[in-house]
Amino acid sequence: MKRYAPVQGVLALCILMSLFGLPFLRFAPNRLLTGEGLSWWQAPLGPGHWACVLPLGWLLSARWPGNRFARGADMLVAVLWLLLLPWLAGTTARQWVPDADSLARVSLGAGFWLSWGLAALLLSERLREAGWPLWRRGLIWGATILLLVGEGLVGALDDLSLLREYGNHQDAFELAFGQHIRLVVFSVLPAVVLGALLGMAAARHNRLQGPLFAVLNLIQTLPSIALFGLLLAPLAWLGERLPASGIAGIGMAPALLALMLYSLLPITRGTLAGLQQVPAAAVDAARGMGMSPRQILWRVELPLALPVFLAGVRITAVQAVGLAVVAALIGAGGFGTIMFQGLSGSALDLVLLGVIPVVAMAIAVDLLFKLISAGVARHD
Amino acid sequence: MIDISQVSKTFGSAGPAVDDLSLHIATGEFVVLIGASGSGKSTTLRMINRLVEPDRGSIRFAGVDIRQIKPEALRRRMGYAIQSTGLFPHWTVAQNIATVPQLLKWSKARVADRIDELLTLLHLDPDAFRGRYPHQLSGGQQQRVGVARALAADPDVLLMDEPFGALDPVTRATLQAELLRIHALSGKTVVLVTHDIDEALQLGSRIVLMNHGRIVQQGRPIDLLRHPANTFVHDFVGRTEIGIRLLALDRVASRLRPGERAAGEPISAELSLREALSAFVARRVDRLPVVDEQGRPAGALCFDDLLER
Ligand SMILES: Nc1ncnc2c1ncn2[C@@H]1O[C@H](COP(=O)(O)OP(=O)(O)O)[C@@H](O)[C@H]1O
Ligand SMILES: [Mg+2]
């Protein structure tokens, strides 16, 4: 019988250490300067300082590794921590830069990010241990994120540099959001259709597999910038020929095409792997009982290949969310635009304004497909 | 019922898998194809339902050349069961059994009735098993479902490829007995492939011994044991075991001395003589009391009576 949960203890210690050892916030006279770090104690948190006793609870509960109540309390504390920390940061920022027009900035420091991120890790670890179904875990995360968004909506976080950047770039943000989703959906969707067809063809004709995967692997190894470059000339030519189509060497068309090409390999491979792991005996029995080839495909092969296929689509969609960032380089928009703008201006919080939604979107897509897979697999 | 005439099949560049094979299977027969691995048994079986198309020769089913019947239609008239069951893992037991009836567009009510009827026939409680998935069944239960599925649309012919090959001896013996019972009950034509000579001797009304795609000898179990055509057959039926296997073909009831008495624990008249021999040796006696199916004294069996006279 284990007497102590080591991972949990270490996580709690790290949270405490990062809280006290690293700057919690940063204060800078303007957005381009790095500024000076403010420790937990320097920040005028007021009674909020006492929030630092919360991690002691995790340290304590690590004594009872398997205990349900300890686990529940830990989850509660973690959710509180995830909500409280930004709140405290927000109220502090308000005291330091009370004037909305001021150039001075308060941004989140390493101490904040680390202790917040580790707490998120601790929560996910505890949720995983509980062995709860995916939807319930998703619900807890969803509620936490909604409450966090709520904090932002009531204005509690408005004076943080990140939200300042959001306020200044709101239109660009909304535009980027729409573009990013469009980039992902309209590249993954055709890739799913085409990849599924290619995978089915490869499963039928073994000889097709060699050349097909040679080509797809080659595409996958091309750096995205190089692929954009390769697509530039033919698409520009096509655009000149068909001006009405809106196709051009840069912009949405090459980005969608490149993202679709990248998505093709994992989806084709997932389809083929899914079909190959269908038990040969099941197909033989289906044939022997008088199912037509079409019935075998729809009733036996595809349903049995579905879980592996969906896993392929999930990986592809998550990958596309990340890859779509690069599409900004050829003027296709998306969150990459905000990121690159921040990078070129050395404005870290602007970079974060581009990165955070991409990470959140990747996690959301991952969760969505896991939920779908769980729903599909529920029968056994 | 099934007329195979001068059929050959060659895969790739290797020698023929089936070589100029002719076989007539009458209605209601239980034919067992036996032979070493690779002797062409499965290929022969699979040509009957057109899973394999012969290169030469013809096969007639109920008087009609099977090339004139659509493969799907032909297969729906023949039950098909295989060693690894081939149950659909994503379908329940009920859905699996309903496969062919559904292909034949039976009404829902009729299918549901049929599922319960078959589960009962194979000694699976319908209420307990209908909704289960194959992975929730033991190997023996899976094979029962496999047999039920093959029987579902009440086919004229049952084709079985080593259906009990992957089962433990006890489960296999039970299912063999049940298959015999179902055969006796339904009078269906059965063609079964096996490489187990004891299974062949127990089940077959006729045994067809194959080697290199040809029939070496065919006949009733007793014919193969008593008159092996050559040394290959002799070896196959197990030189030193022939006597034992002959005993396995007959029941105690056939050598019983009615009315006579003997001391000791009685044996059932339904046992095979092979099992009786085992009892003689184990108990070190030369007389055994025998009871009938209802457990009433039926007579005695003497050790000498094991020899046929
Ligand atoms: N689909 C196939 N493709 C190529 N060779 C096959 C195929 N099916 C059977 N064979 C070959 O035909 C021969 C007979 O096979 P089979 O009928 O399965 O034998 P058995 O069932 O008696 O073990 C074997 O040599 C086997 O390798
Ligand atoms: Mg075989």
Side-chain angles (χ1 to χ4, degrees):
Chain A
M1 181 72 192
K2 241 186 357 184
R3 302 289 308 276
Y4 205 85
V7 178
Q8 161 122 8
V10 169
L11 275 178
L13 266 181
C14 287
I15 290 171
L16 276 169
M17 271 162 41
S18 51
L19 197 60
F20 292 116
L22 295 166
F24 183 65
L25 297 171
R26 285 194 167 277
F27 176 80
N30 67 55
R31 66 191 284 252
L32 299 182
L33 295 179
T34 316
E36 56 176 310
L38 297 172
S39 81
W40 179 256
W41 295 115
Q42 281 170 306
L45 295 171
H49 277 134
W50 293 105
C52 66
V53 301
L54 285 176
L56 292 176
W58 294 321
L59 219 47
L60 193 68
S61 76
R63 276 290 278 109
W64 296 281
N67 188 297
R68 273 179 51 206
F69 294 105
R71 188 157 59 212
D74 279 355
M75 291 179 193
L76 197 66
V77 170
V79 170
L80 264 180
W81 184 256
L82 293 178
L83 296 173
L84 204 60
L85 228 49
W87 179 278
L88 287 175
T91 47
T92 310
R94 170 151 310 153
Q95 292 171 31
W96 281 68
V97 276
D99 178 8
D101 298 325
S102 152
L103 284 179
R105 291 300 179 102
V106 174
S107 51
L108 301 165
F112 171 88
W113 285 117
L114 215 59
S115 53
W116 195 87
L118 289 173
L121 197 65
L122 194 143
L123 176 60
S124 86
E125 190 64 13
R126 280 309 221 179
L127 285 171
R128 200 181 50 75
E129 268 174 38
W132 284 347
L134 197 59
W135 64 264
R136 195 186 292 184
R137 283 185 276 165
L139 204 67
I140 289 181
W141 280 114
T144 309
I145 289 167
L146 268 181
L147 286 171
L148 212 52
V149 170
E151 281 183 17
L153 288 179
V154 301
L157 312 178
D158 277 355
D159 295 298
L160 285 169
S161 176
L162 189 64
L163 271 284
R164 280 287 179 85
E165 296 288 4
Y166 175 70
N168 293 343
H169 296 88
Q170 201 166 351
D171 292 342
F173 186 90
E174 274 156 23
L175 184 68
F177 188 68
Q179 285 167 334
H180 211 92
I181 287 188
R182 225 173 310 150
L183 278 168
V184 171
V185 171
F186 292 115
S187 64
V188 172
L189 222 53
V192 165
V193 175
L194 195 58
L197 291 176
L198 284 175
M200 283 197 268
R204 283 276 174 281
H205 310 285
N206 287 333
R207 271 177 315 171
L208 209 67
Q209 287 171 20
L212 178 65
F213 282 98
V215 172
L216 292 179
N217 276 314
L218 182 73
I219 295 175
Q220 204 74 10
T221 52
L222 281 178
S224 41
I225 298 289
L227 187 56
F228 289 143
L230 282 178
L231 291 174
L232 194 115
L235 286 177
W237 178 83
L238 205 66
E240 272 167 32
R241 287 299 165 95
L242 304 163
S245 66
I247 293 175
I250 58 167
M252 210 56 162
L256 284 178
L257 197 57
L259 287 178
M260 193 205 73
L261 287 175
Y262 281 128
S263 303
L264 225 42
L265 176 70
I267 289 176
T268 308
R269 198 158 46 193
T271 310
L272 179 64
L275 287 171
Q276 279 174 339
Q277 53 89 52
V278 173
V283 177
D284 186 48
R287 229 155 73 78
M289 284 186 296
M291 282 197 196
S292 67
R294 181 190 299 245
Q295 286 166 335
I296 294 173
L297 183 70
W298 284 101
R299 298 186 190 186
V300 180
E301 291 182 294
L302 289 185
L304 287 175
L306 194 61
V308 179
F309 171 77
L310 278 179
V313 177
R314 176 170 65 86
I315 292 167
T316 310
V318 172
Q319 171 192 286
V321 169
L323 268 176
V325 167
V326 189
L329 290 177
I330 50 164
F335 284 118
T337 319
I338 296 178
M339 259 177 68
F340 289 123
Q341 198 185 334
L343 280 174
S344 61
S346 315
L348 187 63
D349 282 303
L350 193 53
V351 177
L352 284 180
L353 189 64
V355 170
I356 291 172
V358 171
V359 173
M361 204 187 277
I363 293 175
V365 167
D366 191 58
L367 188 67
L368 176 73
F369 276 100
K370 277 185 178 157
L371 279 171
I372 295 175
S373 298
V376 165
R378 208 176 30 194
H379 61 71
D380 50 17
Chain B
M1 168 92 1
I2 301 168
D3 234 325
I4 303 176
S5 90
Q6 298 186 312
V7 156
S8 299
K9 177 73 191 180
T10 307
F11 293 104
S13 54
V18 172
D19 190 8
D20 198 31
L21 181 135
S22 297
L23 182 65
H24 176 80
I25 298 167
T27 306
E29 244 191 317
F30 197 134
V31 171
V32 175
L33 302 179
I34 189 167
S37 179
S39 54
K41 313 178 293 286
S42 296
T43 306
T44 306
L45 188 80
R46 292 161 69 85
M47 284 193 293
I48 297 176
N49 66 357
R50 292 190 69 182
L51 284 172
V52 172
E53 297 287 352
D55 298 333
R56 257 176 295 122
S58 68
I59 300 175
R60 301 174 82 79
F61 172 56
V64 183
D65 191 321
I66 58 170
R67 278 169 296 194
Q68 290 171 3
I69 309 172
K70 248 186 78 187
E72 283 86 25
L74 178 72
R75 290 171 197 155
R76 289 170 197 178
R77 290 168 62 187
M78 300 180 172
Y80 185 60
I82 54 181
Q83 170 173 346
S84 28
T85 75
L87 291 182
F88 304 131
H90 59 308
W91 285 1
T92 61
V93 165
Q95 289 171 311
N96 265 287
I97 295 177
T99 307
V100 182
Q102 232 146 42
L103 291 173
L104 295 172
K105 306 217 166 21
W106 286 18
S107 74
K108 269 214 176 75
R110 187 171 169 213
V111 173
D113 285 349
R114 184 66 181 155
I115 290 166
D116 287 3
E117 185 184 341
L118 284 165
L119 283 173
T120 311
L121 179 72
L122 283 142
H123 298 307
L124 295 171
D125 174 17
D127 291 326
F129 284 93
R130 207 184 283 126
R132 290 211 201 167
Y133 286 92
H135 72 99
Q136 298 167 320
L137 305 176
S138 72
Q141 290 165 345
Q142 288 183 7
Q143 202 48 268
R144 282 169 198 267
V145 176
V147 173
R149 185 173 70 170
L151 288 168
D154 205 10
D156 310 320
V157 177
L158 209 52
L159 305 177
M160 311 182 96
D161 197 342
E162 306 199 22
F164 310 135
L167 301 178
D168 64 88
V170 177
T171 312
R172 188 187 317 157
T174 321
L175 275 166
Q176 284 167 346
E178 267 166 40
L179 186 58
L180 273 180
R181 180 173 61 91
I182 291 167
H183 177 248
L185 219 68
S186 64
K188 287 194 192 309
T189 311
V190 181
V191 186
L192 181 139
V193 164
T194 183
H195 57 248
D196 176 358
I197 183 71
D198 285 312
E199 179 165 279
L201 291 169
Q202 198 207 334
L203 295 178
S205 58
R206 179 152 56 110
I207 296 179
V208 177
L209 176 56
M210 294 183 61
N211 193 30
H212 297 308
R214 292 170 165 275
I215 296 175
V216 185
Q217 186 176 359
Q218 55 173 306
R220 294 175 303 157
I222 197 162
D223 298 331
L224 264 78
L225 290 172
R226 284 234 179 275
H227 313 289
N230 53 35
T231 53
F232 176 82
V233 184
H234 202 182
D235 285 340
F236 204 93
V237 296
R239 271 175 199 289
T240 56
E241 306 262 333
I242 289 182
I244 302 285
R245 293 195 162 125
L246 278 168
L247 286 177
L249 296 181
D250 269 326
R251 322 241 132 244
V252 169
S254 66
R255 309 282 170 86
L256 184 68
R257 297 184 181 188
E260 291 192 21
R261 307 256 148 202
E265 177 82 4
I267 61 170
S268 160
E270 290 306 305
L271 286 189
S272 73
L273 290 176
R274 180 180 180 160
E275 289 162 305
L277 171 67
S278 172
F280 281 124
V281 174
R283 298 190 201 170
R284 295 192 231 162
V285 294
D286 58 5
R287 270 174 88 84
L288 285 168
V290 178
V291 291
D292 64 15
E293 271 172 290
Q294 284 78 41
R296 291 174 308 218
L301 181 71
C302 287
F303 189 75
D304 286 348
D305 297 337
L306 291 180
L307 298 180
E308 221 174 324
R309 280 176 234 267

